[in-house]
Amino acid sequence: MHRTLLLGRRLARIPALAVILSLAVMMAATSPLAAQVPGCSTAGFPRTVVDGLGNEILLPEPPQRIFSAVFAMDSILLAIADPDRVVGVTVFSADPSQSAVADKVADHMVRIEHLSPEVVFAAQPDLVLTAFYSNPDAVTQIRNLGLPVYTFTGFNGLLDVLDNVERMGEITGCEAAASAIIEQTYANYGRVAAKIASLPRPTVLSWNTWGNTTGTETTVHDIIQMAGGENLAARHGISGWKEIDVEAIIAMDPEVIITSDGDAFVQKLLNDPVLQSVTAVRTGRVYNLNHAIATDHHIFRAVEELAQHLHPEAFR
Amino acid sequence: MIQTSRGVGHSLVIVILVGLLVASMALAVAVGVVRIPYLDSLRVIVGKLIPAIGKGAQAGPFEAIIWSIRMPRVLIAGLAGFALAVSGAAMQGLFKNPLASPGITGVSSGASLGAAIAILLGTQVINPWLVPAGGFIGALTAAVIVYALATQRGKTDGATLLLAGVAVSAFSSAVLSGLYQFTDDVVMREIIYWLMGNLTGKRWDHVATVGPIVLVGSVALMAFAAELNMLAAGEDDARAMGVNVERTKRWTLGLVAVVTGAAISVVGLIGFVGLIVPHTMRMIVGPDHKRLLPASGLLGATFLILCDLLARIIFAPVELQTGVVTAFFGVPFFLALLVRRRELVGWS
């Protein structure tokens, strides 16, 4: 499964990205690159938070037994809150090959693959984090058992990731820690954006082992745009994840091909006799994006990674 | 041909089947990912069933797990297994075809498409009942289309109906595959998850909704047992014996569509139960539908409850899909029976 997709799609938000960009450039100048701060407090509790579905959840005090049933939320939660406050996460978070917080998954945390009401209930959480796509029967049952449930609904691109970080800060009382991550993300991206702002945009096509490319309304499209490339699939009117033929790649003739399916797939493309006429293959500009599988704020690393591939001269 | 029982008394078979069902329910409620002392499980159940005893007893933290999570799940598994097995037995009898399953009425593929569209539209966020509702509407729509295609001048042709069922199923699958092109990974996974059959999170309100439909529908199906027996001799003979053949077909198909549709719209696609269980029962009680239908229902309920238990505990805490377990354990068991006792299958 392609975890990148958990972030979903939708860009049609160029204005919003422009705001990020200008904000980021500003912050690069002003903000110190703050490392992670302890940034949690009990101030402002009890408080009522509103989840992505519009449900109001009353938190009498900062939750101390949080069960995260969403992979993307595990890592945001563990990045800002004390792991002692987390009673359950998804199994994916404990896997270093897909998780940036595997070292923070402690023995006391229950790990689930699917949302199991029995396991969640037995952990006696004081807050359960779910996504809009979590098994609705299981969510209803957990709610009926009297456990507060907070549902995240924003999985549609890079901006939603930062919104989720902010929400997590509000839920946990760790607003300062959340803000630090957001500011650092803007600052990091600001440095990248400043370097590539005026450079020409090479044409980029993303492709994966299933033969799919990513048009507008995908996270990969956001990454290409922000890294200073032009998404060829978008130019050809493709929206979302669509299967395309090898012939279409030859016809589009991208200057750069990117994938998140690993270096073996990169080698396969470079050595594919059918693709030898494609500029990207001829010039050896086929890259694997190591950070594009992230579903949390680490996805922004993929922007920097791609920017370095697209504009090596700017990073020398 | 109608055969009499083979040595084993029919009431004894029913008693054994009921005993197995009760035992499997007790086991499935007592065993799970969270370890609960058996005595506590018993205390919760007895306390709930007989409030006078439960009043004084300390319920403890396990009560919610036993009574609100496991109990309704086990009952839904039992109801779905009952529905699928009774429907399967009736379809095999009606079509005189050992491969006939409830799916040939188009209900399975119709339910898949209906549920997939409901998931695609994101309706589960508005109300969790909209996905099963979509599945049920899809199941009945497909069944009506299949029936209409096979019926001319008030006469339903069995072979045409089988083919129409295959065609409608294939068409639904094509539409479903087409829909995947317009969904992102998360939604696609949710649809596939539904298609594999899943009992997680089933609650008392599911039991209250599906239970009456399955039980009333199944009893009504059993009322056609005599007609199904006479149809085994061929439509003309049945007609000569006074069976209203078209009415029997219409009612059997309609009841199967409603009963199966209600079950699968809540639990998703769970295969093989409607095939394995009736054949197994036919080897034990013979082809008389008066015995076969209730016996199949009871074994079907037991079978699905045990498969769901295995799905929960084999790789605990990771849960398997119940539909995967029914196929994985059911098919080899069925084949072993078939090879060893081929002469008793009862199709001649």
Side-chain angles (χ1 to χ4, degrees):
Chain A
M1 284 295 154
H2 300 261
R3 301 217 160 271
T4 332
L5 295 188
L6 287 174
L7 287 171
R9 17 171 92 176
R10 180 164 2 121
L11 178 67
R13 293 202 251 183
I14 309 280
L17 277 181
V19 172
I20 273 208
L21 194 113
S22 47
L23 258 178
V25 172
M26 269 160 47
M27 285 192 176
T30 57
S31 146
L33 297 183
Q36 202 169 304
V37 294
C40 301
S41 82
T42 55
F45 285 90
R47 68 171 52 156
T48 301
V49 293
V50 180
D51 74 2
L53 296 176
N55 296 323
E56 291 187 357
I57 298 128
L58 173 69
L59 301 171
E61 52 188 38
Q64 299 300 320
R65 301 185 58 81
I66 305 170
F67 201 119
S68 167
V70 189
F71 176 50
M73 295 310 140
D74 297 344
S75 45
I76 296 176
L77 177 61
L78 289 171
I80 66 172
D82 184 348
D84 284 346
R85 293 170 63 187
V86 180
V87 294
V89 292
T90 65
V91 289
F92 315 112
S93 289
D95 173 3
S97 72
Q98 25 182 346
S99 162
V101 291
D103 56 323
K104 291 189 175 176
V105 178
D107 288 342
H108 72 268
M109 296 175 198
V110 179
R111 292 147 210 200
I112 55 167
E113 184 166 348
H114 300 299
L115 183 55
S116 160
E118 180 169 331
V119 175
V120 171
F121 185 77
Q124 295 286 304
D126 56 8
L127 185 64
V128 182
L129 308 180
T130 64
F132 74 93
Y133 53 81
S134 300
N135 179 346
D137 283 338
V139 173
T140 308
Q141 186 162 58
I142 289 167
R143 204 173 268 137
N144 288 354
L145 289 167
L147 300 180
V149 175
Y150 187 105
T151 304
F152 286 85
T153 52
F155 296 87
N156 292 326
L158 294 177
L159 290 178
D160 282 346
V161 174
L162 296 183
D163 182 53
N164 288 340
V165 173
E166 195 176 350
R167 284 170 178 272
M168 195 69 82
E170 186 192 14
I171 298 167
T172 53
C174 301
E175 291 97 332
S179 305
I181 286 182
I182 294 170
E183 279 173 28
Q184 192 172 3
T185 305
Y186 281 152
N188 289 348
Y189 178 61
R191 278 187 291 110
V192 174
K195 285 181 183 166
I196 61 172
S198 56
L199 299 176
R201 292 176 166 264
T203 54
V204 181
L205 190 71
S206 86
W207 212 39
N208 68 13
T209 47
W210 293 7
N212 286 319
T213 192
T214 51
T216 52
E217 305 186 24
T218 63
T219 306
V220 179
H221 177 76
D222 289 14
I223 293 172
I224 295 173
Q225 291 286 113
M226 290 176 74
E230 185 196 352
N231 185 3
L232 259 188
R235 189 201 276 177
H236 285 83
I238 294 173
S239 164
W241 289 72
K242 291 281 146 54
E243 196 172 325
I244 56 167
D245 189 62
V246 180
E247 262 187 50
I249 298 179
I250 296 170
M252 290 185 196
D253 194 24
E255 291 170 71
V256 173
I257 295 177
I258 56 169
T259 182
S260 56
D261 287 346
D263 292 326
F265 186 58
V266 168
Q267 288 307 316
K268 189 176 159 252
L269 293 182
L270 285 172
N271 297 323
D272 190 335
V274 178
L275 293 175
Q276 292 309 313
S277 68
V278 175
T279 306
V281 173
R282 225 174 37 235
T283 57
R285 300 189 76 188
V286 181
Y287 305 110
N288 180 54
L289 292 189
N290 296 309
H291 296 291
I293 58 165
T295 54
D296 55 12
H297 47 283
H298 294 101
I299 187 84
F300 280 86
R301 288 185 192 164
V303 176
E304 181 163 6
E305 192 184 2
L306 179 58
Q308 289 177 0
H309 287 313
L310 296 183
H311 305 288
E313 68 283 2
F315 288 86
R316 273 195 200 107
Chain B
M1 292 292 105
I2 303 164
Q3 287 154 309
T4 47
S5 69
R6 304 159 194 278
V8 191
H10 179 57
S11 40
L12 181 61
V13 171
I14 294 292
V15 168
I16 292 172
L17 286 171
V18 170
L20 281 175
L21 178 58
V22 172
S24 67
M25 284 175 68
L27 187 68
V29 169
V31 179
V33 180
V34 176
R35 282 177 203 283
I36 298 177
Y38 296 127
L39 213 60
D40 286 356
S41 307
L42 193 68
R43 214 170 280 147
V44 170
I45 294 172
V46 172
K48 283 286 182 184
L49 293 179
I50 313 165
I53 299 176
K55 223 173 265 169
Q58 209 14 297
F62 299 137
E63 182 178 321
I65 292 179
I66 295 287
W67 194 255
S68 302
I69 298 179
R70 289 188 193 164
M71 198 66 185
R73 177 174 182 149
V74 166
L75 288 175
I76 280 289
L79 285 166
F82 194 92
L84 292 170
V86 170
S87 300
M91 295 306 280
Q92 288 141 25
L94 186 66
F95 289 105
K96 298 182 288 293
N97 183 334
L99 284 176
S101 72
I104 59 168
T105 55
V107 284
S108 307
S109 48
S112 311
L113 188 57
I117 290 172
I119 293 171
L120 192 63
L121 295 176
T123 60
Q124 66 274 37
V125 173
I126 303 165
N127 184 331
W129 278 100
L130 288 174
V131 172
F136 192 60
I137 292 168
L140 294 190
T141 308
V144 167
I145 293 173
V146 169
Y147 181 78
L149 286 173
T151 306
Q152 281 187 333
R153 291 186 222 96
K155 231 177 143 312
T156 310
D157 178 51
T160 313
L161 193 129
L162 287 175
L163 287 173
V166 170
V168 167
S169 295
F171 186 74
S172 304
S173 306
V175 174
L176 195 58
S177 307
L179 284 180
Y180 288 155
Q181 293 294 320
F182 300 96
T183 63
D184 62 30
D185 189 58
V186 168
V187 175
M188 188 161 134
R189 256 205 298 177
E190 209 178 320
I191 294 173
I192 292 170
Y193 193 71
W194 190 92
L195 291 180
M196 288 198 291
N198 169 34
L199 286 146
T200 305
K202 298 302 174 244
R203 307 177 304 272
W204 282 105
D205 43 342
H206 289 113
V207 177
T209 311
V210 175
I213 301 178
V214 166
L215 293 178
V216 171
S218 301
V219 169
L221 262 180
M222 289 172 198
F224 285 92
E227 281 87 347
L228 288 174
N229 283 342
M230 286 187 260
L231 271 172
E235 284 191 19
D236 291 341
D237 287 4
R239 219 169 263 124
M241 286 185 274
V243 176
N244 184 337
V245 174
E246 293 311 320
R247 178 174 164 274
T248 304
K249 281 184 192 165
R250 201 158 52 236
W251 273 94
T252 310
L253 289 169
L255 288 168
V256 164
V258 170
V259 167
T260 322
I264 61 179
S265 59
V266 166
V267 302
L269 292 194
I270 291 183
F272 299 100
V273 178
L275 214 52
I276 299 163
V277 172
H279 285 307
T280 307
M281 244 24 260
R282 206 170 272 114
M283 294 179 210
I284 297 169
V285 303
D288 178 356
H289 288 91
K290 283 177 191 158
R291 298 168 174 200
L292 182 61
L293 293 181
S296 295
L298 290 170
L299 185 66
T302 307
F303 177 70
L304 199 52
I305 287 170
L306 291 180
C307 282
D308 184 50
L309 173 64
L310 286 173
R312 283 189 283 143
I313 62 173
I314 297 176
F315 295 115
V318 172
E319 240 177 65
L320 281 180
Q321 299 290 64
T322 311
V324 174
V325 180
T326 58
F328 194 80
F329 287 94
V331 174
F333 169 73
F334 168 65
L335 288 178
L337 269 180
L338 195 65
V339 170
R340 237 185 265 164
R341 308 191 59 185
R342 195 188 298 269
E343 74 283 3
L344 292 182
V345 175
W347 296 100
S348 49

